[in-house]
C-alpha cells in the first residue's frame, strides 16, 4: 500500500485481531454449527509470511471475547487467540540461523549472541554478559543508559552479521536478554 511502512515485520497483536475481525465482518463464511473454534488463514503483507489464527467461538458461533487469559502489563483478561506461524524460518533474512547457527561471539563488546530469524529477526544475549540487573524494574532498566547503549551496539552489530545491514534507528532485529531471572537464585 502506498505510504505504508512495511519494514517492521509482523505484529502478533495485530495478527491476533485479524481473526476475530475477519469472522465478524463476513470476510469468511460462518463457522460450522457447533464449532468451538475457527482457524483463520492470514498472509502478511509486510513479510509474505503465512499464519493460522485460531479464534474461540461461543455456542452460537459468534467470536468469544470473555476468558481468563491475561498478559502481563495488559489490563484485564480475555479469550485466547492463538497465532501459529506456518513456516517461520528466514522471514527477514532468508535463513533460520542467519549467522550460521548456534551462539556466535561478536567482536563488538565481546558479547556472545545467538541470531535467529523465526518469524522475527532476533538477537539473544546472556543478560549477565551485558549487565542486565534482574531485580530492576522495566523502568529502571530503561533508565540505565549504559546497559541500554550496550544492548543497542550489540543489536546493530548483530544486524550486520545477520545480513540486515545498518540497523541503527530500526526496530529489527529485536534483542532479548535471557537468563535465569531472580527466582532462580
Amino acid at each position: 500500500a502506498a505510504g505504508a511502512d512495511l519494514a517492521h515485520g509482523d505484529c502478533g497483536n495485530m495478527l491476533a485481531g485479524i481473526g476475530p475481525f475477519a469472522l465478524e465482518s463476513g470476510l469468511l463464511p460462518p463457522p460450522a454449527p457447533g464449532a468451538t473454534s475457527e482457524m483463520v488463514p492470514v498472509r502478511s503483507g509486510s513479510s509474505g509470511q503465512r499464519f493460522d489464527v485460531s479464534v474461540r467461538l461461543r455456542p452460537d458461533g459468534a467470536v468469544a471475547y470473555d476468558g481468563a487469559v491475561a498478559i502481563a502489563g495488559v489490563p484485564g483478561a480475555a479469550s485466547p487467540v492463538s497465532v501459529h506461524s506456518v513456516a517461520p524460518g528466514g522471514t527477514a533474512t532468508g535463513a533460520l540461523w542467519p549467522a550460521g547457527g548456534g551462539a556466535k561471539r561478536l567482536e563488538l563488546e565481546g558479547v556472545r549472541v545467538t541470531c535467529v530469524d523465526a518469524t522475527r529477526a532476533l538477537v539473544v544475549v546472556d543478560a549477565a554478559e551485558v549487565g542486565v540487573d534482574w531485580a530492576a524494574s522495566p523502568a529502571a532498566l530503561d533508565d540505565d543508559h549504559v546497559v541500554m547503549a550496550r544492548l543497542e551496539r550489540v543489536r546493530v552489530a548483530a544486524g550486520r552479521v545477520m545480513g540486515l545491514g545498518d540497523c541503527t534507528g530500526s526496530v529489527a532485529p529485536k534483542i532479548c536478554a535471557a537468563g535465569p531471572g531472580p527466582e532462580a537464585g
Side-chain angles (χ1 to χ4, degrees):
D5 181 356
L6 303 178
H8 297 294
D10 301 310
C11 173
N13 294 333
M14 295 302 291
L15 287 164
I18 291 171
F21 173 80
L23 292 168
E24 288 187 345
S25 66
L27 291 174
L28 297 173
T36 59
S37 67
E38 186 74 10
M39 192 281 296
V40 178
V42 176
R43 179 159 314 272
S44 167
S46 62
S47 69
Q49 177 68 31
R50 174 141 178 261
F51 299 90
D52 289 337
V53 179
S54 179
V55 180
R56 270 189 0 146
L57 302 173
R58 297 187 325 215
D60 66 0
V63 173
Y65 288 101
D66 293 335
V69 174
I71 299 173
V74 176
S79 179
V81 175
S82 175
V83 178
H84 170 73
S85 181
V86 175
T91 302
T93 65
L96 178 62
W97 302 105
K104 299 288 181 184
R105 172 112 10 222
L106 286 179
E107 299 276 331
L108 181 65
E109 298 288 326
V111 176
R112 189 173 44 126
V113 305
T114 299
C115 300
V116 62
D117 180 5
T119 304
R120 166 84 62 194
L122 180 68
V123 182
V124 183
V125 299
D126 183 329
E129 284 190 40
V130 292
V132 170
D133 176 5
W134 285 110
S137 69
L141 180 58
D142 284 344
D143 288 340
D144 188 335
H145 300 293
V146 172
V147 169
M148 295 304 288
R150 187 169 190 203
L151 287 169
E152 179 63 5
R153 288 191 304 271
V154 170
R155 187 190 71 78
V156 169
R160 287 188 190 97
V161 169
M162 296 171 80
L164 296 172
D166 182 2
C167 296
T168 304
S170 174
V171 297
K174 296 289 188 184
I175 192 159
C176 171
E183 63 279 348

